[in-house]
Amino acid sequence: MSTKTVTIASETSSAFRRTPPGPRGLPVVGSLPQFRRDPLSFFQGLQRSYGDIVTVTMMGVQVTLFMRPEYTYYFLVEGAHGFDSGSQREIMKRFLGEALLTTDGETHRRQRRLVQPAFHKKRVEGYAEIMTGQTGRMLDAWRPNAELDIARELQELTLRIIVKALFDLDLQTRSHALSQLFTDVIENQRPGLVNRGLPPAPFGGEAKGMAARGKLDEFVYELIAQRRADGRDRGDVLSMLLEARDEDGSAMDDRQIRDQTMTLIAAGHETTSNALSWTFHLLSQNPRVYERLLAELRDTLGARTPTVDDLPRLPYLDSVITESLRVYPPAWTVNRFAREPFELGGYRFPAGTRAIIPQWVVHHLPEVWGDPESFRPERWTPEFRQSLPRGAYFPFGMGPRICIGMPLAEMEMRLVLATILLRYTPRVLPGWPVQPFPRITLRLKHGLRVRLEPADQFARHPSRGEERPAI
C-alpha cells in the first residue's frame, strides 16, 4: 500500500500552487446540484477526476476536500490545534446547542473533561448488562419468520440503551415516539456545507425538524426538572452534570445541562443504530461471512447471553464490525475550519479555509484497501492493522476530538449484534431497496426490511449463495 507524502514547507517557500483543481460548476449555485443529487458519488468522482485535494464551490462558498490518509492525520492529529470544527457545527448547534460536538478550544476541552468520567473503561463495562438486557426485551417481542424494519427497531433499541445507561431512565413505552422525533430532526437538515448561517426555513422539512426539536426539548427539560426536584445523586451522567461546578464554583444552568444531555442522547444512539443496520445489510449480502460469524458465536457462547468478558474471545465478530464501519462509516465526513494559514500537499491555504475530510472516500481508496468495495472482514489481521497508513481508518474521528463515546459504541455494537444472532438471523427481503441517505450521519433511506429466521433454522439450512460486493 502506497501513500503520498504530506508537504509542509516554510512560509518562505515559493514552490506552492495557489488553488487545487476542481469542477467549474454552474453560475451562482456552483456544484450544489451534483452534491445534493448524490453526495457520496460526487465526492468519489471528484477524487477520481481531480486528485487527492479538490476545490469546489457551492452557493458562493469555497470548500476544499482532502482525500488521503496522511491528510486525515494532519487535520485531526498533527495540526489539529490550528483548526476548529467546521460547517457541520453550525447546523448541529441549532439542535444540540453549545455542547461537546459544537464547541472548540478551551470550551470544548473543559466540557470534555466534565463528561469524560462517564466513559471511563470500568464505567462503560458496567453498561454491558443494560445493553444485553434491553436487547433481550426487544427480542422477546419478535416472532419467528416475522418481517420488520430492523433499522427502526435498532434505532429505538439504542435510544433505550443510551438513556438507561447514562440517565437511568427506562424508555420502554416512549422510545418509538422519541426515536421518530430524532429522525425528523436529522433527516430535515440542510447540508452543513452550504448552510452559511441561514435561519431555518419556516416551512417544509426544516420546519418539521424544528418542531421535533421543540418536543425533544420538552422531554429533556422535564427530565432535568424531575431530577432537580428529586435531589438524589443516582450516580449517572445527569447527576454528574447537576453536581458539576465550573472553576469559579458556579453550577450549570438548565440550558447548559440540556445541551449536554441532548448531545449525549443524540450522538449516543444515532451512529450505533446506523452501524448495526448497515452490518445486517452486509451480512445478508455475504452469506459465507454470516455463516462464519454464527459459527463463532455458537462455538464460543452456546446459547447464553454474551458478556463483556466474552468479547476478546470473539475475534471474527470484532472484524465484522470493524469492516462494516469501513464500508459504511456512520459519520461520513469530518469538517474543519482553518484558524491560521497552513501548507499541505503542495498548496498554501489561507486562514478561513473550509476543509472536508471524507471518511467515505478515504475508506474506499483502492490504493489503500485493494478491493474497497468488497465486504471482507478477513482483511483485519494484526499484520494488516499494523500496515495501514495513519489516517486511513477513522470511523470515530482521530486525535483530540475523537468521539468520546467510542468505547461505549464499540462494545454496544458487538454485544447487541451477538445477542440478536443467538436468537435470530435477520435476512434482508429480496429486492429491498438499500440506498444510503447521507445527512449528518449515513442512514438507510428506506430503512431495512428483514425476515427473522430463527437462529437454528440458519444452522440447518445455510445459504449457498456467493458473496456480493459491499456497495
Side-chain angles (χ1 to χ4, degrees), residues 240-349:
M240 185 175 68
L241 293 173
L242 289 166
E243 292 297 321
R245 294 295 181 270
D246 212 334
E247 294 174 354
D248 62 1
S250 61
M252 300 172 71
D253 60 28
D254 281 3
R255 178 53 188 259
Q256 291 172 311
I257 295 175
R258 174 264 174 212
D259 291 351
Q260 298 295 351
T261 299
M262 190 71 79
T263 296
L264 292 171
I265 294 174
H269 86 280
E270 171 69 15
T271 54
T272 306
S273 65
N274 288 337
L276 286 166
S277 297
W278 284 117
T279 301
F280 280 112
H281 161 63
L282 290 166
L283 288 172
S284 288
Q285 291 285 300
N286 294 270
R288 290 181 182 172
V289 175
Y290 225 151
E291 284 186 58
R292 180 173 171 181
L293 175 59
L294 291 171
E296 178 183 81
L297 294 174
R298 288 193 298 267
D299 292 346
T300 304
L301 302 172
R304 66 177 176 81
T305 301
T307 69
V308 67
D309 293 333
D310 291 314
L311 295 182
R313 300 189 296 122
L314 296 167
Y316 197 64
L317 172 66
D318 178 78
S319 295
V320 165
I321 294 293
T322 302
E323 177 74 343
S324 176
L325 290 170
R326 180 192 69 80
V327 177
Y328 288 107
W332 58 284
T333 64
V334 175
N335 293 277
R336 289 294 182 262
F337 183 84
R339 294 201 306 267
E340 55 196 41
F342 66 101
E343 297 168 347
L344 195 62
Y347 296 95
R348 178 175 287 123
F349 298 94

Side-chain angles (χ1 to χ4, degrees), residues 124 131 268 271-272 321 396 403 405-414:
V124 167
M131 295 170 182
T271 54
T272 306
I321 294 293
F396 295 96
C403 175
M406 181 179 72
L408 185 148
E410 289 184 326
M411 183 179 77
E412 182 178 357
M413 285 184 282
R414 287 154 178 78

